[in-house]
Each structure stands twice: as structure tokens, then as C-alpha cells.
Amino acid sequence: MKKTSVYVFILIVCIANAYAISISPASISMDFTPNREEEFLFQTQSGIAADILVEGELAPYITVTQNTIAKNGQFMIKVSLPAMIEKPGENKAYISLMEMGKDGGMVSGIAVIRTPITLKVPYNGVYAQFDFKAPDLNINESVQFLVYISNLGNKGIEQAKATIAISDNT
């Protein structure tokens, strides 16, 4: 037997079955509403041994209400928002699944995967965020520029106006 064949054989014998841990949905995005309560169903592989962790600044508002991963690969969380959140902008929490290590004498790895929950809390007043799209074009060619306006504040934008000035060809 050649030396490389022996190494490959040993490698195959020593490697335990490797499974990737997954979680669905991949992310959740919510707009802040005072005292909002909502439940979310998560899916992973059934029968795996995994711990559910809740981390991040929104963790105090999230509880695991049902854990049937061992049976059908599902678990449920409940988000119970307060009347007010001080920090405007994006607030995050992470729902993590941590695969439990296997018992035995071999060294094993532990996989962790997490799903972000993003809560958009409005700023006080008008808070406009702009995005500008300009495709490449040639000389004497017409093009349509796009300006996107998002209001991240708690007061509505009544009027918006954009002026585009092209100063040179660069």
C-alpha cells in the first residue's frame, strides 16, 4: 500500500460524521410598535442536541416559549416589546443554536449558528436617509438617476426634493 493511501485511510477512519447545523429563518426585521407581542417559529434539523441562546440588547424582551427540536426540529420564541425603547435606530438580538458536543473519548467540535433579529426604532422627529443610484453611461447618452428616501423618524416627511448637478465626466 502506498504511503498516501495509508494517510487517506487513517483520515477517513478517524473522522466522525460531520453535520452542519442550520436555522431558519435566516433573519427577522421588525419595526418598533409599543407593547407589540409576536411569536416566531424557527426550524432546524430534528433530533439534534442543541441549546437555544438569546443574546444582544433586545434579549430581555425575548423568551423561548416552545422547544421541540428533539422531536420535530422546531422551536418558538416570543418577542414582547416594552412601551418605549430609548435607543433609536437598529437594535439587535441574536437567536443562537449551539450544538451539544458528543460524549466520548474523541475530540469534537461544537457548531454555533445564529439568526439576527433587527428592531428598527424611529428617531425623534424627521430623520431622512438617502440612497442614490446612478448607472454607468456613455457620452450623449440619457440615463435615469434614482434617489431613494427612507424616513427613520417618528414624524412624517411632508415634502422632499432632490437636485442632481453633474460637474464633469468623472
Side-chain angles (χ1 to χ4, degrees):
M1 208 188 249
K2 291 183 179 180
K3 203 179 228 185
T4 46
S5 298
V6 171
Y7 289 130
V8 170
F9 177 74
I10 291 171
L11 184 64
I12 291 171
V13 169
C14 291
I15 294 178
N17 289 337
Y19 297 100
I21 190 169
S22 66
I23 189 170
S24 177
S27 66
I28 295 172
S29 183
M30 303 170 59
D31 290 327
F32 177 75
T33 304
N35 302 311
R36 177 179 180 179
E37 288 189 356
E38 191 167 347
E39 288 190 318
F40 296 96
L41 178 67
F42 286 82
Q43 184 72 42
T44 188
Q45 296 90 344
S46 61
I48 64 168
D51 279 340
I52 303 167
L53 306 169
V54 181
E55 306 166 298
E57 56 202 344
L58 297 176
Y61 313 117
I62 299 173
T63 54
V64 178
T65 58
Q66 178 185 353
N67 181 355
T68 56
I69 292 175
K71 181 180 173 185
N72 61 8
Q74 296 180 343
F75 66 96
M76 182 94 62
I77 65 155
K78 183 176 185 179
V79 178
S80 300
L81 297 176
M84 188 174 119
I85 292 183
E86 291 291 325
K87 182 183 160 217
E90 290 187 349
N91 291 264
K92 290 194 183 244
Y94 298 95
I95 307 301
S96 303
L97 277 181
M98 183 180 350
E99 188 178 35
M100 305 294 285
K102 306 268 189 252
D103 290 337
M106 293 181 62
V107 176
S108 65
I110 297 175
V112 176
I113 189 165
R114 63 188 197 169
T115 291
I117 297 177
T118 305
L119 178 69
K120 298 175 187 171
V121 179
Y123 289 85
N124 193 21
V126 174
Y127 191 97
Q129 185 177 49
F130 300 93
D131 192 18
F132 177 71
K133 303 280 184 197
D136 290 334
L137 68 146
N138 296 317
I139 296 174
N140 297 326
E141 197 174 65
S142 296
V143 70
Q144 184 176 16
F145 296 111
L146 299 173
V147 178
Y148 299 97
I149 303 172
S150 299
N151 183 14
L152 303 179
N154 58 8
K155 185 176 177 190
I157 297 174
E158 300 297 324
Q159 293 182 0
K161 180 180 176 182
T163 302
I164 301 169
I166 301 172
S167 57
D168 61 30
N169 63 353
T170 58

